[in-house]
Amino acid sequence: SQQGEEDPQALSIQEGENATMNCSYKTSINNLQWYRQNSGRGLVHLILIRSNEREKHSGRLRVTLDTSKKSSSLLITASRAADTASYFCATEGNNRLAFGKGNQVVVIP
Amino acid sequence: EAQVTQNPRYLITVTGKKLTVTCSQNMNHEYMSWYRQDPGLGLRQIYYSMNVEVTDKGDVPEGYKVSRKEKRNFPLILESPSPNQTSLYFCASSPGTLTTNEKLFFGSGTQLSVL
């Protein structure tokens, strides 16, 4: 099955700095999605980018997708303490979403 | 309020004692799915359902059963739980098929411990 792999696995930054996470995958996809999880709670959808899109913005989030390299990146600009969470990429194929292992981000006030 | 509701939130049981984790959504969603989350392994899909009476295996279906008799409910059944099924379980739903670029809505999770 397909699976996204996030890199780096853990990130610690100061409030106000930007946070960048990368995700790689192995097979062709219809779309790639990013989710956030706070402290073992349910995941919350952040943004979806279709396979024919290269970049997408939503508030302080910017996602890029490079299908030739099978990779995506999530940028959170001007981070806040409330952005502290785990971030997962998920790739869609054959009506299933396959999740990566997650990326722990800690924003220090 | 639109939501996916899982029960119970926490469950401690013993090996071999059958249990059911319930999942219900009030959004008239077609697609429902179960995931388990383990440290270092991320989320892995157990089963999914694209509509009533239609269920399919995910990546780790062994030891689990599901049913989709009604659109809103998608219970996860462990007929004979074992310690390696100790995990954090999530139910999720989506308005339509994921190939139409739909997102998943997640429940709050069920932390299961099998002793």
Side-chain angles (χ1 to χ4, degrees):
Chain A
S1 61
Q2 307 167 50
Q3 186 168 22
E5 291 283 347
E6 294 90 350
D7 174 58
Q9 298 298 306
L11 186 62
S12 184
I13 57 174
Q14 293 291 132
E15 199 166 30
E17 293 181 338
N18 296 340
T20 300
M21 289 155 274
N22 299 307
C23 169
S24 61
Y25 56 94
K26 297 175 181 175
T27 62
S28 61
I29 61 172
N30 293 316
N31 65 66
L32 185 143
Q33 305 181 25
W34 286 89
Y35 288 78
R36 184 185 71 217
Q37 182 183 38
N38 291 93
S39 302
R41 303 187 68 83
L43 280 72
V44 175
H45 181 264
L46 293 176
I47 195 166
L48 179 154
I49 186 166
R50 295 175 173 79
S51 59
N52 61 354
E53 297 176 314
R54 292 296 167 259
E55 186 172 316
K56 201 161 184 180
H57 296 256
S58 176
R60 293 184 296 112
L61 305 179
R62 173 179 169 255
V63 171
T64 62
L65 179 65
D66 186 336
T67 52
S68 66
K69 295 181 179 178
K70 291 186 169 59
S71 68
S72 172
S73 68
L74 171 67
L75 168 67
I76 305 173
T77 60
S79 62
R80 305 166 182 169
D83 294 328
T84 293
S86 292
Y87 293 83
F88 293 83
C89 70
T91 51
E92 191 280 322
N94 296 321
N95 261 312
R96 296 173 57 190
L97 263 187
F99 286 82
K101 295 176 182 176
N103 190 321
Q104 176 66 44
V105 174
V106 175
V107 181
I108 303 166
Chain B
E1 181 188 352
Q3 59 186 358
V4 179
T5 303
Q6 290 180 234
N7 280 299
R9 179 74 177 94
Y10 300 95
L11 179 59
I12 301 174
T13 189
V14 295
T15 299
K17 186 176 182 181
K18 180 180 179 179
L19 66 91
T20 300
V21 184
T22 64
C23 174
S24 180
Q25 49 89 8
N26 61 0
M27 297 170 280
N28 200 36
H29 283 176
E30 302 276 336
Y31 184 99
M32 297 186 76
S33 182
W34 277 102
Y35 288 86
R36 62 177 288 174
Q37 184 177 22
D38 302 287
L41 296 177
L43 279 84
R44 294 178 292 169
Q45 190 177 43
I46 303 170
Y47 270 96
Y48 65 102
S49 168
M50 288 198 282
N51 213 326
V52 176
E53 303 292 0
V54 179
T55 62
D56 282 291
K57 295 177 180 179
D59 296 314
V60 288
E62 295 78 19
Y64 305 95
K65 285 177 58 177
V66 292
S67 67
R68 187 90 182 274
K69 296 177 183 175
E70 305 166 282
K71 198 171 188 179
R72 63 182 293 130
N73 295 323
F74 191 45
L76 179 69
I77 303 158
L78 284 71
E79 295 269 2
S80 183
S82 62
N84 64 12
Q85 293 178 298
T86 292
S87 186
L88 179 57
Y89 291 86
F90 288 102
C91 180
S93 71
S94 177
T97 58
L98 297 181
T99 51
T100 54
N101 298 308
E102 301 282 5
K103 64 183 182 183
L104 282 177
F105 293 79
F106 279 81
S108 297
T110 296
Q111 179 64 59
L112 172 65
S113 295
V114 183
L115 306 177

